[in-house]
Amino acid sequence: MHRPSRAALALALAFLPACSSSSDAGTPTRIEPRDGSGGGGGAPAGPLDRVPLENTLTGRGLSAPVELVRDELGVPHIYAETVADAAYAQGYITAHDRFVQMDFFRRNASGTLSELLGASALPSDIEPRLHHLRANAEAAWATLQASSEPLDREAVAALKAYAAGVNQWIDELKAGEHALPSTLVALNYRPEFVSAWSEVDSLAVGELQSFALSFDVDFDLLRTTAVEREKAVFAGASDPAYAKREGFVADVSDLRPIVPVFTVDGWGEFDGAARSPALVQPPLRAPEPDLELARLAARARSSRGGLPAFGPAERGSNNWVVSGAVSRSGHPMVANDTHLSLTNPSLFYMLHLSAGDFDVMGVQFPGVPLVTVGFNRRIAWGVTVSQLDVSDVYDEAVAPCAGGAGQCVSFRNGQVPLVPREETFRISFGGDVSKAEAVTLTFYDVPHHGPILPRVKAGNTLEPLGARELSVRYTGHEPYPIFRAILAVDRARSVDEARRAIEAHFAYGRQNWVLADVEGNIGWTQATRLPKRPAGIKPWLVLPGDGTAEWGNGDDKWDADDYVDPTKMPRAFDPAKGYLVTANADPIGVTADNDPANDASGDLPNYIGADYDPGARVGRITDRITEALAGGGKLDPDAMASIQADAVSLLGAKLRPHFLAAAAELAAYVAAPARDAASPLKPVVDAAPAPVRAFYAEARALVEGWSLNTPSGYEAGLDTAGIDDSRAALLVAAFSTRLARLTFADELAALGDEASGFRMPSRAAERALYRLLDAPGTLASGSTGEPGERGEILFDDLGTPDVVETRQVVLARAVSEAIAWAFAEPKLGADPRAWRWGAVHTAQPAFFVPLGLDQDAYPRHGGIGTVDVADHGYDDDNYSFRGGAAIRFVCELDPDKGPVARNVVPGGQIFDSASPHYKDQLELWSRNEAPALPFRLDEVVPSAEREQAKNGLGRLRFTPAP
């Protein structure tokens, strides 16, 4: 366990949850030295003695001995007298297992990746510097150190101890007791370049985690760009084919859910607040957003780089909680699968910390102490991204200040000086950190909004300020020690305590928290800083910076009045239905009318968010729960895990009728004794190879018999019907890709850069396809033409002005070309009986840098919108994906036995290819199996004994330094 590493440590990215809890029956034996001195000497005379001692280390600053054992998954279980002592061992063992990952996390958070990776990483470094991630961490550390509150004193002790544990391992590394992966030689990553770990490093990694899951101005920039571009290209165009496309952006930006299922039934179901007059600011003249500025900013952000978990499509998750009233055991249960990048090493690190009444297990972001999300003896919790809108983009008018030197922005008919800020980056040219060169860049902050978005030029310089610039205001710009929330939730003993901890301390990091406790209570909250926005604005677009769209009371001060009271946020506790479900979808139906700014009166917020999931996952989870409860049925942990593994396609159900109709027409045309030469299907059929034409009828039969399940086709024991489901899922996926391209690619090309090709987020494509096929009368496109052209105009290709493509033709082409692709795809082969969805639909955890450390590709079930997420996008025929469930966690809170939990990560605990725990969980993950987590001593010790016997990883003892 503590031998020098022989192969690969590494980096990756990690974010969010797991679960753990216990009862008095699970209380660990108090650790006392055998000599009774209370000082540094021995192991406990108790159950842990059964695990052979592998090594004894002296820990600087420990108050008492600490014992660490690993279970059969390599998960460390740490037993200590105090939380700080446990954090010391946590820091040491996490560094042993994941140090390079931790180091890249802190570099990413601190904006120092280019010191190691060179100039290509500079855009990635600019973002955390621009938004003060490390500066916020420094401010949070100062706040905690200055506080005399017991919670803060314990937090300070834990952070100090964790850093000391990490540094003990670093010292051993530099002394030659451990080895870095030989594969990192290409990066010139050497022990002498490793700096000591600090408390600020841990807080900065936490800031990175929160920022990555919260900050999202891309949505605002891209929508604004599209709206403004449409005015220039389609609105009032002299070419009727273009003019009829006016409204296209509204159609592909429709916010209404496809599956209108919500966590609670509108504002009325949660414990809301009394209403009072809405906040309305005096109107001022607002300039039109600058199109080119928004486009440049969007392009700059799209190329900014960063670690892999930052992809917006990968920020998702499912979680739900059920009460004892609907569970088979009578005990509440929590389920959570977080959807993030699939990386090697895994994004999460599982562990168990036990120190007296502090007994918590779950997963953590490597580099941060304690457990971010998990379970203790009395509660369990899970999280998903809530999609609350916590950042706004402002269009600033920039001009020389009237009263002197410097640049100012216009604000409320006056001027406010910009605040210049210099940031120095060290850039290696050849990977040698010791020879990195300094580059200083100047950023500008708008005092009442936030930083101006910079644009990087060749040569590592920035574009000078122009007359119009975009600034960003983000709730996380105002620092707060959010580590308090981690410690407070880890210590909580009830849903109400956890809820109050979240409301008090989770200042930024937009999350849906689902909670359960041993008393049988369940709840859901998304408490965080949410801006109070005035009525009448659209915060999902770039806003005017002149003072007409300010937060709170509209002044230029940053204060608590700028944010919604957390108790007035949508939330619910102990609902009569017995369950609560979140899955990144609209929680209360604010987008059901396609206008998320509902201008609510009273102290309810006017606006909470716009960019929600279309609802297929939350709808399917809710369906599965209600089906299980029908007729008095109940749920158990196996049922919860089965829902996590659900791969039924609700979107496939919406596409299937259109596939069937087109395939039937094609088959009938081919079978006709005399084919109609004037038929619009003739060119489609003529373009298809003979095997494709012969397969139309069979393709229709396959999809007609499809159960809507989407197996990979390689599952053990899969019967003929399952194999046919796999083949049908393949055909419908390829059909949907082509249908999206054939209908939307020409309009997108006209609006955007021609070189960019077809790019549409899955959420937008799902909504647009559904409305185009099933509700064309609701579309704006074609509304300026003949009545029958509403929606129909989108099937016509702008690139073929002499031909008018119709709905019938495009659907037929999508079917025929999908089949033709399958016949030609080498991974599938020319025999349709051998086609399997999993041959092309694979998941592959990837290393951050291309050093040959990617894991194997695994055939996977699922697809766009399935509960077991496997989103491959609509852009092309690459159906592999690298974002998925980073954990699959289920926890039942049994007040007698303690928490009973299961979890799995897509990889392993130890990033060392020579370790038995390098990827031992990946096979389990690929089969949707989550092993039981030992938590009580009578579970942990036998598992640790088996681990020692099998892999030689025994007990580790830390003793206090003399």
Side-chain angles (χ1 to χ4, degrees):
M1 172 166 63
H2 304 282
R3 309 177 179 88
S5 220
R6 289 187 297 272
L9 290 163
L11 82 129
L13 260 156
F15 297 33
L16 297 122
C19 156
S20 176
S21 188
S22 165
S23 68
D24 292 340
T27 304
T29 303
R30 188 171 187 272
I31 296 175
E32 295 190 10
R34 284 201 175 109
D35 61 11
S37 67
L48 291 175
D49 266 348
R50 289 164 42 188
V51 184
L53 185 65
E54 180 187 350
N55 201 358
T56 299
L57 300 170
T58 300
R60 298 184 294 270
L62 289 177
S63 66
V66 178
E67 301 284 332
L68 183 153
V69 297
R70 291 191 191 263
D71 64 27
E72 293 160 280
L73 293 177
V75 175
H77 297 254
I78 296 168
Y79 299 90
E81 283 291 306
T82 67
V83 172
D85 287 351
Y88 185 100
Q90 179 187 4
Y92 180 91
I93 201 66
T94 308
H96 177 276
D97 293 353
R98 301 282 190 92
F99 178 72
V100 178
Q101 183 183 31
M102 294 169 60
D103 194 27
F104 272 83
F105 284 163
R106 70 167 166 177
R107 284 183 175 277
N108 199 170
S110 304
T112 61
L113 281 172
S114 51
E115 184 177 66
L116 179 65
L117 301 178
S120 63
L122 183 61
S124 189
D125 280 346
I126 285 175
E127 184 146 86
R129 299 279 194 99
L130 187 69
H131 298 291
H132 320 288
L133 299 196
R134 187 159 188 99
N136 278 5
E138 291 168 347
W141 179 232
T143 298
L144 289 172
Q145 285 183 297
S147 173
S148 60
E149 292 294 323
L151 182 70
D152 291 348
R153 302 317 306 150
E154 188 172 36
V156 166
L159 286 160
K160 285 183 173 180
Y162 186 89
V166 175
N167 287 328
Q168 178 170 343
W169 186 87
I170 291 174
D171 289 346
E172 294 171 2
L173 171 71
K174 293 186 174 184
E177 297 177 37
H178 307 289
L180 291 172
S182 58
T183 46
L184 294 180
V185 169
L187 296 178
N188 207 12
Y189 188 88
R190 304 200 299 265
E192 58 265 34
F193 296 157
V194 173
S195 60
W197 192 268
S198 72
E199 299 84 359
V200 172
D201 289 334
S202 288
L203 293 174
V205 172
E207 291 284 331
L208 175 70
Q209 176 186 14
S210 178
F211 181 85
L213 296 173
S214 302
F215 186 80
D216 189 7
V217 303
D218 302 296
F219 184 73
D220 302 4
L221 292 171
L222 295 173
R223 285 181 66 96
T224 300
T225 300
V227 168
E228 296 303 308
R229 184 66 176 157
E230 183 176 77
K231 293 177 184 177
V233 176
F234 293 151
S238 58
D239 185 337
Y242 279 73
K244 291 173 184 177
R245 262 73 174 186
E246 184 176 357
F248 169 76
V249 169
D251 292 338
V252 297
S253 301
D254 193 278
L255 299 171
R256 284 172 286 192
I258 297 174
V259 182
V261 174
F262 313 114
T263 304
V264 294
D265 186 16
W267 288 106
E269 189 177 330
F270 83 99
D271 1 326
R275 293 173 178 262
S276 57
L279 172 68
V280 180
Q281 294 178 7
L284 297 176
R285 186 183 64 81
E288 288 291 315
D290 186 276
L291 167 63
E292 185 60 22
L293 193 61
R295 294 179 72 194
L296 288 172
R299 188 181 302 119
R301 284 189 51 78
S302 69
S303 62
R304 69 190 180 277
L307 291 181
F310 280 22
E314 292 150 351
R315 299 189 295 195
S317 307
N318 305 314
N319 68 12
W320 62 98
V321 58
V322 302
S323 73
V326 298
S327 76
R328 194 175 306 281
S329 65
H331 308 314
M333 296 182 289
V334 168
N336 191 193
D337 52 294
T338 57
H339 304 159
L340 300 164
S341 289
L342 299 176
T343 59
N344 182 29
S346 303
L347 293 184
F348 290 107
Y349 186 75
M350 282 199 279
L351 73 154
H352 175 197
L353 304 172
S354 184
D357 62 351
F358 185 89
D359 200 8
V360 62
M361 187 173 185
V363 294
Q364 181 54 287
F365 192 51
V368 182
L370 310 184
V371 170
T372 295
V373 182
F375 61 96
N376 61 38
R377 299 177 197 168
R378 298 190 60 83
I379 72 167
W381 66 99
V383 300
T384 67
V385 173
S386 67
Q387 303 300 132
L388 293 172
D389 190 345
V390 295
S391 54
D392 284 337
V393 182
Y394 290 93
D395 185 354
E396 309 282 0
V398 181
C401 297
Q407 297 288 304
C408 284
V409 294
S410 298
F411 186 73
R412 295 198 178 279
N413 297 320
Q415 283 190 318
V416 176
L418 289 172
V419 179
R421 169 165 51 104
E422 287 190 344
E423 295 281 350
T424 299
F425 301 84
R426 298 183 70 244
I427 303 177
S428 67
F429 296 88
D432 192 337
V433 172
S434 65
K435 298 179 180 178
E437 299 179 9
V439 172
T440 299
L441 302 177
T442 300
F443 301 146
Y444 293 90
D445 293 317
V446 178
H448 48 280
H449 288 153
I452 297 287
L453 290 176
R455 297 179 297 281
V456 183
K457 296 196 304 181
N460 304 317
T461 60
L462 300 180
E463 293 278 359
L465 287 174
R468 301 283 287 278
E469 294 289 350
L470 298 179
S471 69
V472 173
R473 187 172 184 186
Y474 162 56
T475 57
H477 284 156
E478 185 179 358
Y480 186 90
I482 54 177
F483 183 69
R484 285 172 177 162
I486 295 176
L487 177 56
V489 173
D490 281 359
R491 277 208 169 279
R493 296 174 58 82
S494 68
V495 165
D496 188 58
E497 278 189 30
R499 186 265 308 166
R500 284 188 278 113
I502 295 163
E503 289 175 359
H505 303 303
F506 196 65
Y508 39 92
R510 53 179 188 174
Q511 297 294 309
N512 289 298
W513 299 72
V514 294
L515 309 159
D517 64 30
V518 292
E519 302 300 327
N521 302 298
I522 65 170
W524 157 67
T525 184
Q526 48 180 344
T528 193
R529 285 178 184 161
L530 179 71
K532 286 182 183 175
R533 283 140 168 145
I537 67 170
K538 296 181 178 180
W540 57 94
L541 298 174
V542 172
L543 299 172
D546 60 1
T548 59
E550 301 309 299
W551 297 359
N553 58 16
D555 62 19
D556 58 357
K557 303 291 193 300
W558 290 66
D559 51 40
D561 184 63
D562 291 339
Y563 306 115
V564 174
D565 180 345
T567 66
K568 306 305 186 290
M569 299 275 284
R571 58 180 190 165
F573 300 93
D574 297 322
K577 62 187 178 184
Y579 62 88
L580 293 161
V581 182
T582 87
N584 319 122
D586 183 340
I588 58 174
V590 295
T591 57
D593 61 354
N594 200 29
D595 180 9
N598 290 299
D599 298 339
S601 61
D603 28 0
L604 302 178
N606 288 322
Y607 165 77
I608 61 174
D611 185 24
Y612 290 105
D613 183 86
R617 286 186 285 115
V618 73
R620 178 62 182 166
I621 294 167
T622 302
D623 284 349
R624 287 287 307 269
I625 291 173
T626 55
E627 288 167 6
L629 301 182
K634 302 288 185 180
L635 291 159
D636 60 19
D638 288 342
M640 301 281 271
S642 172
I643 296 173
Q644 287 179 334
D646 190 277
V648 165
S649 176
L650 294 188
L651 297 175
K654 296 182 179 300
L655 291 170
R656 175 165 58 181
H658 307 286
F659 183 102
L660 292 176
E665 287 187 339
L666 287 168
Y669 182 79
V670 169
R675 297 177 188 170
D676 182 0
S679 170
L681 297 181
K682 184 179 187 302
V684 177
V685 174
D686 287 350
V692 173
R693 296 195 298 269
F695 193 69
Y696 291 150
E698 185 175 345
R700 183 191 181 284
L702 269 175
V703 174
E704 185 175 34
W706 184 30
S707 73
L708 300 179
N709 195 20
T710 58
S712 72
Y714 299 103
E715 292 85 352
L718 196 65
D719 60 14
T720 300
I723 290 172
D724 285 348
D725 274 349
S726 180
R727 298 165 67 205
L730 168 75
L731 290 173
V732 173
F735 166 73
S736 65
T737 298
R738 275 147 191 80
L739 185 58
R741 292 182 66 83
L742 290 170
T743 52
F744 304 134
D746 54 329
E747 286 84 8
L748 290 171
L751 292 176
D753 296 331
E754 292 182 5
S756 68
F758 172 70
R759 296 186 183 278
M760 179 182 283
S762 292
R763 290 173 181 170
E766 289 162 32
R767 291 188 178 100
L769 282 178
Y770 167 65
R771 295 184 64 221
L772 178 65
L773 296 174
D774 288 1
T778 67
L779 296 174
S781 303
S783 60
T784 60
E786 299 297 322
E789 288 181 328
R790 186 180 290 268
E792 181 74 16
I793 192 69
L794 297 182
F795 291 110
D796 184 31
D797 188 350
L798 284 169
T800 57
D802 297 331
V803 179
V804 176
E805 289 84 3
T806 65
R807 174 189 180 104
Q808 179 192 29
V809 169
V810 169
L811 286 169
R813 280 189 60 188
V815 169
S816 188
E817 291 176 12
I819 296 170
W821 165 79
F823 271 102
E825 170 55 52
K827 295 178 182 177
L828 296 172
D831 182 358
R833 293 170 297 180
W835 292 350
R836 302 290 185 271
W837 176 219
V840 294
H841 188 245
T842 60
Q844 184 176 27
F847 189 64
F848 176 48
V849 184
L851 297 176
L853 292 174
D854 291 0
Q855 300 281 22
D856 296 333
Y858 285 81
R860 292 294 295 155
H861 66 186
I864 295 173
T866 56
V867 174
D868 194 1
V869 69
D871 190 338
H872 48 77
Y874 289 96
D875 287 357
D876 53 35
D877 286 313
N878 179 4
Y879 296 100
S880 62
F881 61 99
R882 291 194 171 184
I887 59 169
R888 293 197 187 98
F889 159 68
V890 174
C891 186
E892 181 176 37
L893 290 168
D894 187 323
D896 298 319
K897 293 191 299 184
V900 179
R902 60 181 78 178
N903 202 359
V904 70
V905 299
Q909 282 288 110
I910 302 174
F911 193 73
D912 179 344
S913 60
S915 168
H917 302 300
Y918 175 58
K919 60 176 183 178
D920 53 329
Q921 295 185 55
L922 187 53
E923 289 285 350
L924 298 171
W925 179 91
S926 72
R927 300 194 299 268
N928 285 82
E929 297 175 9
L933 301 180
F935 183 70
R936 302 189 314 268
L937 267 178
D938 61 0
E939 298 167 330
V940 172
V941 171
S943 184
E945 289 182 290
R946 292 190 292 270
E947 171 66 10
Q948 194 280 330
K950 180 179 180 182
N951 296 315
L953 300 182
R955 176 165 45 102
L956 177 66
R957 178 189 304 159
F958 296 86
T959 60

